[in-house]
Amino acid sequence: MASSRYHRYDGGDPLAPPVDLAEALDAIGEDVMAGYSPERAMQKFLRRGGQDHAGLDDLARRVAERRRDLLQRHHLDGTMDEVRELLEKAVLEERKQLVRDPMMDDADRAFRELRMDSLPSSPSAAVSELADYDWQSREAREAYEQIKDLLGRELLDQRFAGMKQALENATEADRRAIQEMLDDLNELLEKRTRGEDTQQDFDEFMAKHGQHFPENPQNLDELIDAMAQRAAAAQRMLSSMTPEQRAELMQLSAQAFGSPALMDQLARLDRNLMSLRPGADWAGSERFGGDEGLGLGDGTGVFQDLADLDALADQLSQSYGGARLDDVDLDKLARQLGEEAAVDARRLQELELALRRSGAIERGFDGELRLTPKAMRQLGKALLRDVAQRMSGRQGQRDLRQAGAAGDLSGATRPWAFGDTEPWDIPRTMLNGVLRRSGDPNGPLLSIEDVEVAETEARTQAAVALCVDTSFSMAMDGRWVPMKQTALALHTLIGTRFRGDDLELIGFGRHAETMRIEHLTALDARWAKGTNLHHALLLANSHFRKHPNAQPVLLIVTDGEPTSHLGPDGEVFFSYPPHPMTIALAVRELDNARRLGAQTTFFRLGEDPGLARFVDSMARRVEGCVIAPETGDLGAAVVGSYLGSRRGGGRDTSGPGSYGDFFGSRGFWVG
């Protein structure tokens, strides 16, 4: 029975297609070819992002902009500004009352006016000075009481988010309930300090006071974590104030709710939280420079936002050991930057996971990530598509029109004959049977004369040696990645379309070596003097001799003259300018390749006149071909040469429509 799986909707477009690995693999493969490790290449792509989603760097930039905006938009005097406004209102209303009250004794009026005139300029000192004042104006008294109420609600809002609004117009009974909650909370925290708390203690506390904790913690640890984060933010806000601002606030705090009892409970709470979570950031500070004032509660929220943004910046940097994109807190990201940012981050997480699970990247025995053969095939197919576009539909056919058991279908059919092994053409065979039975309804459904077979194009087998220059000049002049892309494209073409051919990849720098495609694509540029064409040709001829029945095809990509060769003792000899012995040994092996029947094509990179003279003379000697493509056209030139390697005795005409003409590369044949 079919089953369905469901999970919680986590944002984004529910109809969006799954992550596409093709773009990521193309970018990662190119960076690997440029010398990056697969791990670093993958991280680079995740940092940059794709065409339809942001990368880590863009998200980190937005986090930094959000943090900067908070600091530049706000200042920390919001509560003091509100106190000043209420104080000015109280004093103004009291003055009005003193002026219009006809029943007041003149001496009393003068005394009260003098007291109003002599109030300290400091709001906190003025509020303290008026603590025992007998207000004559009802509006003035209400404004002054609002100051004490505001301070109490702001101080509570620092530790309990939303308390400022919840306690607006609170009754005395509401305030007593808050005092009781604080007392019970401190007792519970002190039990934890002594190691005497139980889950039942927590459950009873939440049953009684749970309405004050919208985070809905499930145990005491979650409660402590949430409260410690906010209390630490409150401490950082206090540390960020100037000494004058802190002194004003401390003096005002004693007036909260008209009693110092609240401050005593909050100080006790802070001590308990600091002892239980000493690792929290209790001592940090920030510099604000904006025009929008922050109250104590809102300011604490901003400091929590700043802490969240700092954590997100660290997570998005992925710069710590063992970093994974799963570390990014998507809930925090959505709160700070919006749902779209969280969707982008989730897509990156899915992409990283898909890359690791797709079989495209694997961890070797040495613990390092590497591209798998599957990934190499995908990259090769992408490179072949690019090559096909560059070749602009020109097909260098190298097929022989001949019926045979092996090869591709030609599209033609013929009647079956004894000994044929070609596949049957079922539609034509059935049609022949139907037509025959129309004249003979009683005849058999099928007869041997009805059978037609599909003709195929048999392909001749080739032994291909691709010799690529791996000297440091290739990397220095920007030819390193195109060289690797060319090798991978040819490797993929032969592995998928011409499986009967045998490709040998040979890299030659100071010395030469045969390489697997995975080794070549991951090869780092090495500073080593020497271009050892002699050694490369020795390996190529050895490859040809192992396949005596195959057509040898020699493809040489280089940007420099031979400057090193192997001595009789196997040691490398280097000389620049090239030593005559180096040239002679390279020529000898090239002659051996010609005697083996190899069709040779040189791909000359760069404008070095000495290289041009050498390559021209070598090609003339073996009746080979010289192509000087632009770097970006190298892959198309090599693939095109391979496809046309055995047409017309191995020669292209170099006339209109030839590869040399098509690429504008000054390609020519030397006879």
Side-chain angles (χ1 to χ4, degrees):
M1 181 180 296
S3 61
S4 300
R5 299 179 63 186
Y6 300 89
H7 61 84
R8 182 175 63 87
Y9 172 65
D10 52 7
D13 181 1
L15 301 179
V19 292
D20 181 13
L21 296 182
E23 180 188 12
L25 283 176
D26 287 348
I28 291 171
E30 184 169 343
D31 285 336
V32 167
M33 292 181 192
Y36 288 88
S37 69
E39 179 85 47
R40 187 179 173 197
M42 181 174 68
Q43 291 299 324
K44 182 181 176 184
F45 178 78
L46 294 175
R47 300 214 68 81
R48 184 175 64 244
Q51 293 182 350
D52 59 348
H53 60 85
L56 292 174
D57 284 344
D58 183 62
L59 293 174
R61 174 188 58 78
R62 292 165 61 187
V63 164
E65 289 176 352
R66 162 84 170 145
R67 193 183 198 284
R68 185 167 58 250
D69 177 65
L70 288 176
L71 294 176
Q72 293 178 351
R73 179 155 38 103
H74 298 294
H75 67 82
L76 301 181
D77 273 337
T79 297
M80 296 303 299
D81 290 342
E82 287 190 71
V83 169
R84 287 190 188 93
E85 290 179 9
L86 290 171
L87 182 62
E88 289 172 359
K89 178 180 178 181
V91 171
L92 179 60
E93 293 298 330
E94 182 68 7
R95 289 182 183 278
K96 290 180 181 177
Q97 181 64 28
L98 293 177
V99 169
R100 63 175 174 252
D101 188 353
M103 304 299 295
M104 182 176 292
D105 181 74
D106 290 341
D108 187 25
R109 180 184 291 108
F111 175 75
R112 291 177 181 277
E113 288 176 346
L114 178 63
R115 192 165 181 182
M116 293 294 112
D117 292 339
S118 59
L119 285 174
S121 59
S122 164
S124 59
V127 170
S128 298
E129 178 73 23
L130 294 170
D132 61 350
Y133 181 76
D134 179 20
W135 297 91
Q136 300 299 300
S137 166
R138 179 177 58 82
E139 292 83 0
R141 183 182 299 106
E142 290 175 352
Y144 183 78
E145 292 298 325
Q146 286 180 32
I147 293 175
K148 296 188 290 183
D149 183 67
L150 170 68
L151 291 170
R153 291 188 293 120
E154 287 278 20
L155 290 170
L156 286 170
D157 203 42
Q158 278 192 300
R159 275 73 173 184
F160 306 91
M163 192 70 80
K164 180 179 179 181
Q165 290 76 25
L167 287 180
E168 193 169 7
N169 302 319
T171 64
E172 192 60 35
D174 294 329
R175 295 173 183 170
R176 284 197 301 269
I178 292 295
Q179 290 282 0
E180 184 179 1
M181 181 272 291
L182 288 171
D183 191 56
D184 291 347
L185 176 58
N186 278 315
E187 287 184 5
L188 182 60
L189 297 180
E190 287 159 4
K191 270 191 173 184
R192 165 56 64 88
T193 302
R194 298 191 300 269
E196 299 173 357
D197 67 295
T198 64
Q199 182 65 29
Q200 182 179 353
D201 293 333
F202 172 78
D203 292 339
E204 291 175 355
F205 174 82
M206 290 299 294
K208 186 176 180 181
H209 305 295
Q211 70 272 21
H212 300 302
F213 302 93
E215 302 90 351
N216 193 27
Q218 300 302 304
N219 53 56
L220 185 54
D221 282 313
E222 291 184 8
L223 175 62
I224 293 172
D225 287 339
M227 296 210 61
Q229 289 175 8
R230 192 159 179 89
Q235 289 296 321
R236 293 195 299 276
M237 181 178 182
L238 191 64
S239 300
S240 301
M241 294 179 176
T242 65
E244 294 77 12
Q245 288 174 320
R246 282 196 297 274
E248 288 275 334
L249 183 60
M250 290 297 99
Q251 189 172 354
L252 275 172
S253 298
Q255 303 296 324
F257 291 154
S259 167
L262 176 63
M263 278 303 296
D264 292 342
Q265 287 281 25
L266 293 178
R268 179 185 171 194
L269 176 62
D270 286 346
R271 288 193 299 271
N272 287 328
L273 291 171
M274 291 178 72
S275 68
L276 291 169
R277 293 294 184 271
D281 184 7
W282 296 93
S285 64
E286 301 287 350
R287 296 190 64 180
F288 288 79
D291 299 325
E292 187 176 323
L294 287 172
L296 297 181
D298 291 338
T300 300
V302 167
F303 272 84
Q304 281 192 294
D305 287 342
L306 292 172
D308 285 352
L309 292 168
D310 289 340
L312 286 170
D314 190 42
Q315 294 162 8
L316 293 169
S317 73
Q318 297 282 286
S319 58
Y320 49 91
R324 296 287 292 270
L325 283 184
D326 287 343
D327 300 340
V328 178
D329 190 323
L330 299 182
D331 291 334
K332 283 184 180 178
L333 196 63
R335 285 198 304 270
Q336 299 300 332
L337 300 184
E339 284 294 335
E340 183 180 349
V343 169
D344 283 338
R346 187 181 299 109
R347 194 164 184 82
L348 291 174
Q349 290 178 344
E350 293 170 353
L351 181 61
E352 181 189 44
L353 187 62
L355 283 169
R356 295 182 186 275
R357 288 181 175 176
S358 66
I361 297 177
E362 65 182 3
R363 197 170 295 278
F365 294 111
D366 56 1
E368 294 293 327
L369 285 181
R370 58 172 58 96
L371 296 181
T372 63
K374 177 181 178 181
M376 302 304 298
R377 288 193 297 272
Q378 290 175 308
L379 290 172
K381 289 176 182 177
L383 290 170
L384 276 178
R385 286 194 297 270
D386 180 64
V387 165
Q389 291 174 355
R390 288 180 179 275
M391 293 174 69
S392 189
R394 300 174 184 265
Q395 299 180 359
Q397 297 291 341
R398 63 177 197 85
D399 300 336
L400 298 177
R401 296 279 305 180
Q402 174 183 330
D408 291 340
L409 297 176
S410 67
T413 64
R414 59 176 172 78
W416 176 85
F418 181 78
D420 282 343
T421 58
E422 291 82 5
W424 285 18
D425 187 301
I426 301 299
R428 292 286 303 177
T429 298
M430 296 301 297
L431 178 60
N432 291 339
V434 170
L435 293 175
R436 178 181 49 76
R437 290 188 69 203
S438 65
D440 183 12
N442 297 322
L445 180 63
L446 282 178
S447 177
I448 191 66
E449 62 265 21
D450 299 330
V451 177
E452 291 200 23
V453 295
E455 288 190 339
T456 60
E457 298 174 349
R459 302 183 187 278
T460 57
Q461 185 181 16
V464 185
L466 175 62
C467 303
V468 291
D469 191 340
T470 57
S471 62
F472 190 74
S473 62
M474 291 283 286
M476 184 171 61
D477 295 331
R479 300 165 185 143
W480 195 252
V481 173
M483 174 270 291
K484 292 182 177 183
Q485 291 173 332
T486 297
L488 181 54
L490 184 61
H491 179 273
T492 303
L493 177 65
I494 292 176
T496 56
R497 290 283 309 278
F498 304 104
R499 293 189 178 123
D501 290 357
D502 200 299
L503 172 65
E504 186 90 315
L505 296 173
I506 301 169
F508 62 99
R510 188 173 182 82
H511 66 278
E513 60 179 316
T514 59
M515 297 180 178
R516 296 180 59 186
I517 188 63
E518 296 86 355
H519 180 196
L520 178 60
T521 52
L523 186 67
D524 262 341
R526 292 170 291 191
W527 174 253
K529 295 181 178 180
T531 303
N532 200 333
L533 180 61
H534 167 236
H535 194 185
L537 291 172
L538 281 171
L539 296 176
N541 288 336
S542 175
H543 176 60
F544 297 150
R545 292 187 183 101
K546 291 176 184 177
H547 302 83
N549 297 322
Q551 168 64 54
V553 177
L554 178 60
L555 308 172
I556 302 171
V557 178
T558 185
D559 71 343
E561 300 175 75
T563 55
S564 62
H565 65 266
L566 286 184
D569 56 357
E571 294 296 321
V572 173
F573 173 84
F574 169 80
S575 174
Y576 184 83
H579 192 278
M581 180 59 69
T582 300
I583 300 296
L585 290 173
V587 169
R588 186 185 72 184
E589 288 307 315
L590 194 64
D591 287 343
N592 288 338
R594 182 187 182 189
R595 281 191 286 273
L596 291 170
Q599 297 179 7
T600 303
T601 304
F602 287 90
F603 299 89
R604 175 169 57 82
L605 303 177
E607 304 295 333
D608 180 21
L611 173 65
R613 287 192 298 271
F614 169 77
V615 169
D616 292 350
S617 62
M618 293 279 274
R620 184 178 299 109
R621 184 181 185 90
V622 296
E623 297 184 348
C625 172
V626 177
I627 300 177
E630 298 296 330
T631 301
D633 292 326
L634 177 61
V638 171
V639 169
S641 177
Y642 163 72
L643 290 173
S645 60
R646 280 175 283 157
R647 286 194 304 114
R651 296 170 178 252
D652 204 339
T653 62
S654 192
S658 70
Y659 289 108
D661 176 72
F662 174 68
F663 293 120
S665 58
R666 305 179 310 284
F668 53 89
W669 286 97
V670 182

